[in-house]
Amino acid sequence: MELKVCKNCRRLFQYIYGPEICPDCVKALSKEKPEEAEQDLTNAVVTRDINNEKELFERVKEYIIAHPKATISDISGAMDVTPKQLFEWIREERLEFSEDSKDAWFECEKCGTKIKSGRLCSRCKGLR
């Protein structure tokens, strides 16, 4: 887990996965009755952005499943998504590349071991 700044209210929160908004804003977005018109507009923009990101993520995921040997540049070009966004999803462990993808290996930030997703290998995470 890491600390991130909420894209909606600009407060720090403990980020696990998904959209970069804090739990309080997630609750506020899920409520049917917004308290103020300005907040309603902000919520609509954030909700639209979240939905767009989810949709793009799902399309990218389907593309990777259909093209297991695709590289970052292949995916970026075919899906109109930036390599930076792809790396972010990989580091968040939302995406993982197959064994067949020779160009899609990353290094553990602690020991340098090759990994397919995330920031740390299982040994450095303490899972072994």
Side-chain angles (χ1 to χ4, degrees), residues 26-35 43:
V26 169
K27 287 178 189 173
L29 289 171
S30 65
K31 289 182 180 178
E32 292 292 320
K33 299 177 183 175
E35 297 171 12
N43 288 346

Side-chain angles (χ1 to χ4, degrees), residues 15-58:
Y15 178 78
I16 300 171
Y17 69 92
E20 293 179 10
I21 60 172
C22 69
D24 292 336
C25 288
V26 169
K27 287 178 189 173
L29 289 171
S30 65
K31 289 182 180 178
E32 292 292 320
K33 299 177 183 175
E35 297 171 12
E36 300 175 10
E38 184 177 321
Q39 184 67 27
D40 188 31
L41 178 60
T42 302
N43 288 346
V45 169
V46 171
T47 302
R48 185 192 71 226
D49 290 346
I50 290 169
N51 289 337
N52 289 343
E53 182 181 343
K54 284 181 182 179
E55 182 181 313
L56 179 60
F57 174 76
E58 288 302 320

